[in-house]
Amino acid sequence: MAIAGHEIGDGDVRRAPRPGGTFESPNERRLIHSIPIGYTIDGSRGIRDPRGMFGERLGVDMHVVPPPPARCAI
């Protein structure tokens, strides 16, 4: 997400790219749970709380829990 060099605030953290309920899978299964575990600013990883920092691009590393695969009827 572009942040154009301004100070990162609460709104930027809320708008950071996150899974919106679906993720890349052949049948677009819904997510059970997702939580941010870290942020990146301009490629620098491992940032726990980016608020108050400056940069050009903000990203988020997520822990996601997908549903179990569907059972096949035999």
Side-chain angles (χ1 to χ4, degrees):
M1 166 178 133
I3 51 175
H6 71 269
E7 182 177 352
I8 298 167
D10 290 332
D12 299 309
V13 171
R14 281 192 302 274
R15 286 189 306 274
R18 296 191 176 168
T22 60
F23 63 103
E24 290 184 30
S25 84
N27 56 3
E28 292 195 5
R29 296 181 297 165
R30 309 261 321 142
L31 291 177
I32 292 175
H33 178 72
S34 65
I35 187 169
I37 57 172
Y39 295 87
T40 59
I41 298 175
D42 298 337
S44 296
R45 299 179 67 127
I47 299 167
R48 288 184 180 246
D49 185 0
R51 290 175 285 210
M53 299 176 132
F54 293 83
E56 296 295 323
R57 297 203 52 81
L58 174 66
V60 61
D61 295 319
M62 301 290 293
H63 174 76
V64 296
V65 178
R71 293 184 179 180
C72 295
I74 298 179

